Amino acid sequence: RERERERERASSPPDRIDIFGRTVSKRSSLDEKQKREEEEKKAEFERQRKIRQQEIEEKLIEEETARRVEELVAKRVEEELEKRKDEIEREVLRRVEEAKRIMEKQLLEELERQRQAELAAQKAREEEERAKREELERILEENNRKIAEAQAKLAEEQLKIVEEQRKIHEERMKLEQERQRQQKEEQKIILGKGKSRPKLSFSLKSQD
């Protein structure tokens, strides 16, 4: 049993000695280790806290810097705009006038195009009316020619009718003259004028 105790003491690690030469027990060593770990954890936590605090501060500084830069830029822009206000107004007026000139030019061009289109349409209407008028004149001339031809033909027919009537009248006159002549001849014969009257002889017939 003694030998076993000796072996256990030989196999177990030797006790630590503090700076005063005192033997430090294993319990105290464990407590110190735990304490040291806790201190290290606290130190790490503090370090992490400081890091986060630094990051927050840097972020706040960055945001504040950005805000100040933005305010400064806005202020500089406002100052620059105020300085260039008259120049900007002149430029705006110039552009407005230029836009008005362009619009007026476009309007005049559009009006000219409309005028040209109206003139072309009017010319087309005039050409169409002229063609219609010429066609009507041609038709009237053709009708007049046909009427003149018909009138000439009618006049010719009338002349023929008059000539026929004249001939009929002459024939009638000749017939009338011949009739009158024959009548006179007959009257001469009846009245015994001239030698043409025949002699009459009377005789009595005896009765059986």
Side-chain angles (χ1 to χ4, degrees):
R1 189 176 294 175
E2 285 295 332
R3 282 197 295 272
E4 289 177 359
R5 289 178 181 174
E6 288 294 334
R7 280 197 300 271
E8 288 177 358
R9 284 196 294 270
S11 60
S12 62
D15 295 335
R16 290 193 306 113
I17 306 299
D18 62 6
I19 59 175
F20 299 106
R22 294 176 296 186
T23 300
V24 179
S25 65
K26 292 181 179 179
R27 181 72 178 174
S28 298
S29 178
L30 292 173
D31 292 340
E32 288 180 1
K33 183 178 179 181
Q34 186 177 3
K35 185 177 180 182
R36 189 167 56 255
E37 289 177 353
E38 289 178 355
E39 289 177 353
E40 288 177 356
K41 287 181 180 180
K42 288 180 180 180
E44 179 65 20
F45 179 78
E46 184 66 20
R47 188 176 67 81
Q48 293 293 334
R49 188 187 65 79
K50 288 181 178 180
I51 290 172
R52 287 195 298 272
Q53 182 68 26
Q54 186 177 0
E55 290 177 350
I56 293 171
E57 290 176 355
E58 288 177 354
K59 187 176 181 181
L60 290 174
I61 291 171
E62 183 179 353
E63 290 178 352
E64 182 66 18
T65 302
R67 185 183 65 79
R68 291 185 180 183
V69 168
E70 185 177 354
E71 289 179 354
L72 181 61
V73 169
K75 185 176 180 181
R76 291 294 299 276
V77 168
E78 185 178 357
E79 290 175 354
E80 189 66 22
L81 288 175
E82 187 64 28
K83 289 179 182 179
R84 297 182 58 192
K85 184 178 180 181
D86 295 337
E87 182 180 352
I88 291 172
E89 288 180 354
R90 286 194 300 270
E91 179 66 18
V92 169
L93 289 175
R94 186 188 68 79
R95 292 187 181 183
V96 169
E97 291 297 325
E98 184 178 0
K100 284 174 63 178
R101 285 195 300 272
I102 292 173
M103 290 178 67
E104 289 176 355
K105 183 180 178 182
Q106 292 176 348
L107 182 60
L108 290 174
E109 290 176 353
E110 180 65 23
L111 291 174
E112 180 63 21
R113 284 195 295 271
Q114 291 179 1
R115 190 178 70 83
Q116 292 296 331
E118 182 64 25
L119 287 175
Q122 184 178 356
K123 186 176 180 181
R125 288 194 299 270
E126 290 176 354
E127 288 293 328
E128 184 179 359
E129 291 175 358
R130 184 183 61 80
K132 289 180 179 179
R133 187 170 58 254
E134 289 178 354
E135 181 66 17
L136 288 174
E137 289 176 355
R138 187 188 65 78
I139 292 172
L140 288 174
E141 185 177 354
E142 182 68 18
N143 290 336
N144 291 331
R145 185 183 64 80
K146 290 180 179 180
I147 291 170
E149 289 179 355
Q151 288 177 345
K153 189 174 182 181
L154 181 62
E156 185 178 354
E157 293 293 332
Q158 287 177 345
L159 287 175
K160 287 181 180 180
I161 292 171
V162 170
E163 183 66 20
E164 290 293 331
Q165 288 177 349
R166 186 184 64 77
K167 288 179 179 181
I168 292 171
H169 181 69
E170 288 179 353
E171 290 293 330
R172 284 179 178 177
M173 292 296 293
K174 287 180 180 180
L175 289 173
E176 181 66 22
Q177 289 176 0
E178 182 65 21
R179 188 185 66 79
Q180 289 178 1
R181 188 184 65 79
Q182 290 179 359
Q183 188 177 8
K184 286 178 180 181
E185 288 293 330
E186 290 177 356
Q187 287 178 356
K188 285 178 181 181
I189 292 171
I190 294 170
L191 296 175
K193 292 180 178 180
K195 296 181 179 181
S196 61
R197 182 177 180 184
K199 293 181 178 181
L200 297 176
S201 61
F202 297 97
S203 62
L204 295 173
K205 242 179 179 186
S206 62
Q207 294 180 354
D208 294 338

